[in-house]
Amino acid sequence: MATMANLPHPERADLNLTSVLFALSDPERLEIVRQLRSGPMDMAECSLSVPDMPKSTKSHLMKVLREAGVIRNEANGRGRRLILRSDDLEERFPGLLLAVVGASVGD
Amino acid sequence: MATMANLPHPERADLNLTSVLFALSDPERLEIVRQLRSGPMDMAECSLSVPDMPKSTKSHLMKVLREAGVIRNEANGRGRRLILRSDDLEERFPGLLLAVVGASVGD
DNA sequence: CCCATGGTTCAACTAAAGTCGAACCATGGC
DNA sequence: GCCATGGTTCGACTTTAGTTGAACCATGGG
């Protein structure tokens, strides 16, 4: 029924550039964002470079992205559905997301 | 004669996206970058939100930006000349700089 | 109803980043 | 030559961020 814990998300107008940049400035978090580029994903599905990452650590990565307003984290059955906030980011920071996810990381 | 200490700068090809994003994810550093958008500046001229910032702290801000490849820091007489590496950034991460410096920060 | 699944939260710890005084160092001007 | 200027570097410290196990919790399935 999708009634699990509703986590807080900042509103579009409250998105802060430096917070977004910080959230994107970590390779693991950036990788998550890239995977979400092609559409929502179940959290359990999204793979990271560290395959055996503890779930508390993974949850923390999501928290940073969510609190910066980069992703939404919604209850979905037993799991979580992750959604990139493309529209909100585009509105607040036009071109930023495209530049970031489109670029070659460099290492 | 401009022969003062030559600080190390990463080459264009070595620029790393997450390092650049991290360097830009601080309000003070972002402000410096914005001031450099309109051309090189003497380090002594660039004003920060904290007017009485110790010079060691200011120097550290510049170091982070320089080591990420965002700015050049060249000897210039008794002082230092700061130059935004627009071309290198545009080459490596097209559209990124424009999106970042063009955006409203949000707080 | 019970339990496995998939996740959040907390607390304790480690690691990384920021702050800033003090020492040092070129330069340009006198 | 000397000194004021404008900066870098170092070291010690504070602060912030990342990591993880353990406890907890909602859900869906049997």
Short mmCIF file of all heavy atoms in Angstrom, two decimals, chain C residues 3-21:
data_model
loop_
_atom_site.label_atom_id
_atom_site.label_comp_id
_atom_site.label_asym_id
_atom_site.label_seq_id
_atom_site.Cartn_x
_atom_site.Cartn_y
_atom_site.Cartn_z
P DC C 3 8.86 -16.75 13.74
OP1 DC C 3 9.12 -18.09 14.32
OP2 DC C 3 9.01 -15.53 14.57
"O5'" DC C 3 9.78 -16.61 12.46
"C5'" DC C 3 9.37 -17.27 11.26
"C4'" DC C 3 9.73 -16.42 10.05
"O4'" DC C 3 8.70 -15.44 9.79
"C3'" DC C 3 11.02 -15.62 10.21
"O3'" DC C 3 11.75 -15.74 9.02
"C2'" DC C 3 10.53 -14.20 10.40
"C1'" DC C 3 9.34 -14.23 9.43
N1 DC C 3 8.38 -13.09 9.58
C2 DC C 3 7.83 -12.51 8.43
O2 DC C 3 8.11 -12.96 7.32
N3 DC C 3 6.99 -11.47 8.56
C4 DC C 3 6.69 -11.00 9.78
N4 DC C 3 5.85 -9.97 9.86
C5 DC C 3 7.25 -11.56 10.97
C6 DC C 3 8.09 -12.59 10.82
P DA C 4 13.30 -16.06 9.09
OP1 DA C 4 13.46 -17.52 9.17
OP2 DA C 4 13.94 -15.18 10.10
"O5'" DA C 4 13.76 -15.62 7.63
"C5'" DA C 4 13.03 -16.15 6.52
"C4'" DA C 4 12.92 -15.10 5.43
"O4'" DA C 4 11.94 -14.09 5.80
"C3'" DA C 4 14.21 -14.35 5.15
"O3'" DA C 4 14.35 -14.24 3.75
"C2'" DA C 4 14.02 -12.99 5.84
"C1'" DA C 4 12.50 -12.80 5.72
N9 DA C 4 11.91 -12.00 6.80
C8 DA C 4 12.15 -12.13 8.15
N7 DA C 4 11.45 -11.30 8.89
C5 DA C 4 10.70 -10.59 7.97
C6 DA C 4 9.76 -9.55 8.10
N6 DA C 4 9.38 -9.05 9.29
N1 DA C 4 9.20 -9.06 6.98
C2 DA C 4 9.57 -9.56 5.80
N3 DA C 4 10.44 -10.54 5.54
C4 DA C 4 10.97 -11.01 6.68
P DT C 5 15.62 -13.49 3.11
OP1 DT C 5 15.94 -14.14 1.83
OP2 DT C 5 16.63 -13.36 4.17
"O5'" DT C 5 15.01 -12.05 2.80
"C5'" DT C 5 13.83 -11.96 2.03
"C4'" DT C 5 13.51 -10.50 1.77
"O4'" DT C 5 12.89 -9.92 2.94
"C3'" DT C 5 14.73 -9.62 1.46
"O3'" DT C 5 14.45 -8.88 0.30
"C2'" DT C 5 14.88 -8.74 2.69
"C1'" DT C 5 13.42 -8.65 3.17
N1 DT C 5 13.24 -8.36 4.61
C2 DT C 5 12.28 -7.45 5.00
O2 DT C 5 11.58 -6.86 4.20
N3 DT C 5 12.18 -7.26 6.35
C4 DT C 5 12.92 -7.87 7.33
O4 DT C 5 12.73 -7.62 8.51
C5 DT C 5 13.91 -8.81 6.87
C7 DT C 5 14.77 -9.52 7.85
C6 DT C 5 14.01 -9.01 5.54
P DG C 6 15.57 -8.06 -0.46
OP1 DG C 6 15.23 -8.06 -1.90
OP2 DG C 6 16.87 -8.52 0.04
"O5'" DG C 6 15.34 -6.57 0.08
"C5'" DG C 6 14.09 -5.94 -0.14
"C4'" DG C 6 14.10 -4.61 0.53
"O4'" DG C 6 13.93 -4.79 1.95
"C3'" DG C 6 15.41 -3.84 0.36
"O3'" DG C 6 15.13 -2.47 0.11
"C2'" DG C 6 16.11 -4.04 1.68
"C1'" DG C 6 14.92 -4.05 2.62
N9 DG C 6 15.17 -4.66 3.91
C8 DG C 6 16.09 -5.63 4.22
N7 DG C 6 16.09 -5.95 5.49
C5 DG C 6 15.11 -5.14 6.05
C6 DG C 6 14.65 -5.03 7.39
O6 DG C 6 15.04 -5.66 8.39
N1 DG C 6 13.65 -4.08 7.52
C2 DG C 6 13.14 -3.34 6.50
N2 DG C 6 12.18 -2.47 6.81
N3 DG C 6 13.56 -3.42 5.24
C4 DG C 6 14.53 -4.34 5.09
P DG C 7 16.28 -1.55 -0.48
OP1 DG C 7 15.77 -0.88 -1.67
OP2 DG C 7 17.53 -2.31 -0.54
"O5'" DG C 7 16.46 -0.50 0.70
"C5'" DG C 7 15.32 0.27 1.03
"C4'" DG C 7 15.22 0.49 2.51
"O4'" DG C 7 15.43 -0.68 3.29
"C3'" DG C 7 16.22 1.48 3.10
"O3'" DG C 7 15.73 2.79 2.93
"C2'" DG C 7 16.23 1.10 4.57
"C1'" DG C 7 15.51 -0.24 4.62
N9 DG C 7 16.20 -1.19 5.45
C8 DG C 7 17.13 -2.13 5.07
N7 DG C 7 17.56 -2.85 6.07
C5 DG C 7 16.89 -2.35 7.17
C6 DG C 7 16.94 -2.73 8.53
O6 DG C 7 17.62 -3.61 9.06
N1 DG C 7 16.09 -1.96 9.31
C2 DG C 7 15.30 -0.94 8.83
N2 DG C 7 14.56 -0.30 9.71
N3 DG C 7 15.22 -0.59 7.57
C4 DG C 7 16.05 -1.32 6.80
P DT C 8 16.62 4.04 3.42
OP1 DT C 8 16.09 5.18 2.66
OP2 DT C 8 18.06 3.73 3.38
"O5'" DT C 8 16.18 4.18 4.95
"C5'" DT C 8 14.86 4.56 5.27
"C4'" DT C 8 14.73 4.78 6.77
"O4'" DT C 8 15.13 3.56 7.45
"C3'" DT C 8 15.60 5.90 7.33
"O3'" DT C 8 14.82 6.70 8.19
"C2'" DT C 8 16.71 5.16 8.07
"C1'" DT C 8 16.05 3.85 8.47
N1 DT C 8 16.98 2.71 8.57
C2 DT C 8 17.16 2.09 9.79
O2 DT C 8 16.59 2.44 10.80
N3 DT C 8 18.03 1.02 9.77
C4 DT C 8 18.72 0.53 8.70
O4 DT C 8 19.48 -0.44 8.80
C5 DT C 8 18.50 1.24 7.45
C7 DT C 8 19.21 0.78 6.21
C6 DT C 8 17.65 2.27 7.45
P DT C 9 15.41 8.04 8.81
OP1 DT C 9 14.25 8.90 9.11
OP2 DT C 9 16.51 8.50 7.95
"O5'" DT C 9 16.04 7.56 10.20
"C5'" DT C 9 15.22 6.92 11.15
"C4'" DT C 9 16.04 6.53 12.37
"O4'" DT C 9 16.84 5.37 12.09
"C3'" DT C 9 17.02 7.62 12.85
"O3'" DT C 9 16.81 7.77 14.25
"C2'" DT C 9 18.39 7.05 12.52
"C1'" DT C 9 18.12 5.55 12.63
N1 DT C 9 19.02 4.66 11.86
C2 DT C 9 19.54 3.54 12.48
O2 DT C 9 19.30 3.26 13.64
N3 DT C 9 20.34 2.76 11.69
C4 DT C 9 20.66 2.98 10.38
O4 DT C 9 21.40 2.20 9.76
C5 DT C 9 20.10 4.17 9.78
C7 DT C 9 20.39 4.51 8.35
C6 DT C 9 19.32 4.94 10.54
P DC C 10 17.35 9.08 15.04
OP1 DC C 10 16.23 9.62 15.80
OP2 DC C 10 18.13 9.92 14.10
"O5'" DC C 10 18.37 8.43 16.09
"C5'" DC C 10 18.01 7.20 16.74
"C4'" DC C 10 19.25 6.53 17.29
"O4'" DC C 10 19.86 5.72 16.26
"C3'" DC C 10 20.33 7.49 17.78
"O3'" DC C 10 20.58 7.21 19.14
"C2'" DC C 10 21.54 7.21 16.89
"C1'" DC C 10 21.26 5.80 16.39
N1 DC C 10 21.84 5.50 15.04
C2 DC C 10 22.60 4.35 14.87
O2 DC C 10 22.80 3.60 15.84
N3 DC C 10 23.11 4.07 13.65
C4 DC C 10 22.88 4.90 12.62
N4 DC C 10 23.39 4.58 11.44
C5 DC C 10 22.09 6.07 12.78
C6 DC C 10 21.60 6.34 13.98
P DA C 11 21.40 8.28 20.04
OP1 DA C 11 20.68 8.41 21.33
OP2 DA C 11 21.74 9.49 19.25
"O5'" DA C 11 22.74 7.47 20.31
"C5'" DA C 11 22.69 6.04 20.35
"C4'" DA C 11 24.10 5.48 20.32
"O4'" DA C 11 24.49 5.20 18.95
"C3'" DA C 11 25.17 6.43 20.86
"O3'" DA C 11 26.18 5.65 21.46
"C2'" DA C 11 25.67 7.12 19.60
"C1'" DA C 11 25.63 5.96 18.61
N9 DA C 11 25.50 6.35 17.21
C8 DA C 11 24.87 7.46 16.71
N7 DA C 11 24.90 7.53 15.40
C5 DA C 11 25.58 6.39 15.02
C6 DA C 11 25.94 5.88 13.76
N6 DA C 11 25.65 6.49 12.61
N1 DA C 11 26.63 4.72 13.73
C2 DA C 11 26.93 4.11 14.89
N3 DA C 11 26.64 4.49 16.14
C4 DA C 11 25.96 5.65 16.12
P DA C 12 27.23 6.33 22.46
OP1 DA C 12 27.07 5.69 23.78
OP2 DA C 12 27.14 7.81 22.30
"O5'" DA C 12 28.61 5.84 21.83
"C5'" DA C 12 28.78 4.44 21.53
"C4'" DA C 12 29.86 4.31 20.49
"O4'" DA C 12 29.36 4.76 19.21
"C3'" DA C 12 31.11 5.15 20.78
"O3'" DA C 12 32.25 4.32 20.76
"C2'" DA C 12 31.13 6.19 19.67
"C1'" DA C 12 30.38 5.47 18.56
N9 DA C 12 29.76 6.35 17.57
C8 DA C 12 29.05 7.50 17.81
N7 DA C 12 28.61 8.08 16.72
C5 DA C 12 29.07 7.27 15.69
C6 DA C 12 28.95 7.34 14.30
N6 DA C 12 28.31 8.31 13.66
N1 DA C 12 29.53 6.36 13.57
C2 DA C 12 30.19 5.39 14.20
N3 DA C 12 30.37 5.21 15.51
C4 DA C 12 29.78 6.20 16.20
P DC C 13 33.65 4.86 21.27
OP1 DC C 13 34.31 3.80 22.03
OP2 DC C 13 33.47 6.22 21.83
"O5'" DC C 13 34.41 5.00 19.87
"C5'" DC C 13 34.57 3.83 19.06
"C4'" DC C 13 34.83 4.24 17.63
"O4'" DC C 13 33.76 5.06 17.15
"C3'" DC C 13 36.10 5.06 17.44
"O3'" DC C 13 37.11 4.23 16.86
"C2'" DC C 13 35.68 6.19 16.49
"C1'" DC C 13 34.26 5.81 16.07
N1 DC C 13 33.40 6.98 15.82
C2 DC C 13 32.99 7.25 14.52
O2 DC C 13 33.35 6.49 13.61
N3 DC C 13 32.20 8.32 14.28
C4 DC C 13 31.82 9.11 15.29
N4 DC C 13 31.05 10.15 15.01
C5 DC C 13 32.24 8.86 16.63
C6 DC C 13 33.02 7.80 16.85
P DT C 14 38.57 4.85 16.63
OP1 DT C 14 39.52 3.74 16.75
OP2 DT C 14 38.72 6.10 17.42
"O5'" DT C 14 38.47 5.28 15.10
"C5'" DT C 14 37.91 4.37 14.15
"C4'" DT C 14 38.00 5.00 12.77
"O4'" DT C 14 36.98 6.02 12.64
"C3'" DT C 14 39.33 5.67 12.47
"O3'" DT C 14 39.71 5.28 11.16
"C2'" DT C 14 39.03 7.16 12.60
"C1'" DT C 14 37.57 7.23 12.21
N1 DT C 14 36.78 8.32 12.84
C2 DT C 14 35.96 9.08 12.05
O2 DT C 14 35.87 8.94 10.84
N3 DT C 14 35.25 10.04 12.73
C4 DT C 14 35.27 10.30 14.09
O4 DT C 14 34.59 11.19 14.57
C5 DT C 14 36.15 9.45 14.86
C7 DT C 14 36.26 9.66 16.33
C6 DT C 14 36.86 8.52 14.20
P DA C 15 40.99 5.89 10.43
OP1 DA C 15 41.51 4.86 9.53
OP2 DA C 15 41.85 6.53 11.46
"O5'" DA C 15 40.38 7.06 9.53
"C5'" DA C 15 39.37 6.74 8.57
"C4'" DA C 15 39.00 8.00 7.83
"O4'" DA C 15 38.29 8.90 8.71
"C3'" DA C 15 40.20 8.81 7.30
"O3'" DA C 15 39.79 9.33 6.06
"C2'" DA C 15 40.36 9.91 8.35
"C1'" DA C 15 38.90 10.18 8.68
N9 DA C 15 38.65 10.80 9.96
C8 DA C 15 39.22 10.52 11.17
N7 DA C 15 38.77 11.26 12.16
C5 DA C 15 37.83 12.07 11.55
C6 DA C 15 36.99 13.09 12.05
N6 DA C 15 36.96 13.46 13.33
N1 DA C 15 36.16 13.71 11.17
C2 DA C 15 36.19 13.33 9.89
N3 DA C 15 36.94 12.40 9.30
C4 DA C 15 37.74 11.81 10.20
P DA C 16 40.83 9.74 4.93
OP1 DA C 16 40.65 8.84 3.79
OP2 DA C 16 42.17 9.91 5.56
"O5'" DA C 16 40.27 11.17 4.51
"C5'" DA C 16 38.87 11.32 4.35
"C4'" DA C 16 38.47 12.75 4.64
"O4'" DA C 16 38.49 13.00 6.05
"C3'" DA C 16 39.40 13.80 4.00
"O3'" DA C 16 38.57 14.61 3.21
"C2'" DA C 16 40.00 14.53 5.22
"C1'" DA C 16 38.90 14.33 6.25
N9 DA C 16 39.29 14.45 7.65
C8 DA C 16 40.30 13.78 8.30
N7 DA C 16 40.38 14.07 9.59
C5 DA C 16 39.36 15.00 9.77
C6 DA C 16 38.93 15.69 10.92
N6 DA C 16 39.49 15.56 12.12
N1 DA C 16 37.87 16.51 10.77
C2 DA C 16 37.30 16.63 9.56
N3 DA C 16 37.63 16.04 8.42
C4 DA C 16 38.68 15.23 8.60
P DA C 17 39.18 15.65 2.14
OP1 DA C 17 38.42 15.46 0.89
OP2 DA C 17 40.66 15.58 2.14
"O5'" DA C 17 38.72 17.03 2.79
"C5'" DA C 17 37.38 17.12 3.27
"C4'" DA C 17 37.18 18.38 4.09
"O4'" DA C 17 37.61 18.16 5.44
"C3'" DA C 17 37.93 19.60 3.57
"O3'" DA C 17 37.00 20.67 3.52
"C2'" DA C 17 39.03 19.80 4.60
"C1'" DA C 17 38.38 19.25 5.88
N9 DA C 17 39.31 18.76 6.88
C8 DA C 17 40.38 17.93 6.69
N7 DA C 17 41.05 17.67 7.79
C5 DA C 17 40.35 18.36 8.77
C6 DA C 17 40.55 18.49 10.15
N6 DA C 17 41.55 17.88 10.80
N1 DA C 17 39.69 19.25 10.84
C2 DA C 17 38.69 19.84 10.18
N3 DA C 17 38.40 19.80 8.88
C4 DA C 17 39.28 19.04 8.22
P DG C 18 37.40 22.08 3.03
OP1 DG C 18 36.26 22.63 2.27
OP2 DG C 18 38.75 22.03 2.44
"O5'" DG C 18 37.47 22.88 4.42
"C5'" DG C 18 36.28 23.00 5.16
"C4'" DG C 18 36.51 23.81 6.41
"O4'" DG C 18 37.41 23.09 7.27
"C3'" DG C 18 37.15 25.18 6.18
"O3'" DG C 18 36.46 26.11 7.00
"C2'" DG C 18 38.60 24.97 6.61
"C1'" DG C 18 38.44 23.95 7.72
N9 DG C 18 39.60 23.10 7.98
C8 DG C 18 40.26 22.32 7.07
N7 DG C 18 41.25 21.64 7.59
C5 DG C 18 41.24 21.99 8.93
C6 DG C 18 42.08 21.57 10.00
O6 DG C 18 43.03 20.80 9.97
N1 DG C 18 41.72 22.18 11.20
C2 DG C 18 40.69 23.07 11.35
N2 DG C 18 40.49 23.54 12.57
N3 DG C 18 39.90 23.46 10.37
C4 DG C 18 40.23 22.89 9.18
P DT C 19 36.90 27.62 7.11
OP1 DT C 19 35.69 28.39 7.47
OP2 DT C 19 37.68 27.94 5.90
"O5'" DT C 19 37.87 27.63 8.35
"C5'" DT C 19 37.33 27.38 9.65
"C4'" DT C 19 38.34 27.82 10.68
"O4'" DT C 19 39.41 26.86 10.72
"C3'" DT C 19 39.00 29.17 10.42
"O3'" DT C 19 38.88 29.94 11.61
"C2'" DT C 19 40.44 28.84 10.07
"C1'" DT C 19 40.64 27.54 10.82
N1 DT C 19 41.64 26.59 10.27
C2 DT C 19 42.54 26.02 11.14
O2 DT C 19 42.59 26.28 12.32
N3 DT C 19 43.40 25.12 10.55
C4 DT C 19 43.44 24.75 9.23
O4 DT C 19 44.26 23.93 8.83
C5 DT C 19 42.47 25.38 8.37
C7 DT C 19 42.43 25.05 6.92
C6 DT C 19 41.62 26.26 8.93
P DC C 20 39.13 31.52 11.57
OP1 DC C 20 38.26 32.12 12.60
OP2 DC C 20 39.06 31.98 10.17
"O5'" DC C 20 40.63 31.62 12.07
"C5'" DC C 20 40.98 30.93 13.28
"C4'" DC C 20 42.49 30.94 13.48
"O4'" DC C 20 43.09 29.84 12.75
"C3'" DC C 20 43.19 32.20 12.96
"O3'" DC C 20 44.13 32.58 13.93
"C2'" DC C 20 43.88 31.73 11.69
"C1'" DC C 20 44.25 30.31 12.13
N1 DC C 20 44.61 29.38 11.02
C2 DC C 20 45.48 28.32 11.28
O2 DC C 20 45.93 28.18 12.40
N3 DC C 20 45.82 27.49 10.26
C4 DC C 20 45.31 27.68 9.04
N4 DC C 20 45.67 26.84 8.09
C5 DC C 20 44.41 28.76 8.77
C6 DC C 20 44.09 29.58 9.78
P DG C 21 44.43 34.17 14.12
OP1 DG C 21 43.44 34.75 15.03
OP2 DG C 21 44.66 34.78 12.80
"O5'" DG C 21 45.83 34.09 14.90
"C5'" DG C 21 45.90 33.30 16.09
"C4'" DG C 21 47.28 32.68 16.22
"O4'" DG C 21 47.46 31.68 15.18
"C3'" DG C 21 48.44 33.66 16.07
"O3'" DG C 21 49.44 33.28 17.01
"C2'" DG C 21 48.89 33.45 14.62
"C1'" DG C 21 48.63 31.96 14.43
N9 DG C 21 48.33 31.56 13.05
C8 DG C 21 47.44 32.16 12.18
N7 DG C 21 47.38 31.57 11.02
C5 DG C 21 48.28 30.51 11.12
C6 DG C 21 48.65 29.53 10.17
O6 DG C 21 48.22 29.37 9.01
N1 DG C 21 49.61 28.64 10.68
C2 DG C 21 50.14 28.72 11.94
N2 DG C 21 51.05 27.80 12.25
N3 DG C 21 49.81 29.64 12.84
C4 DG C 21 48.88 30.50 12.36
#
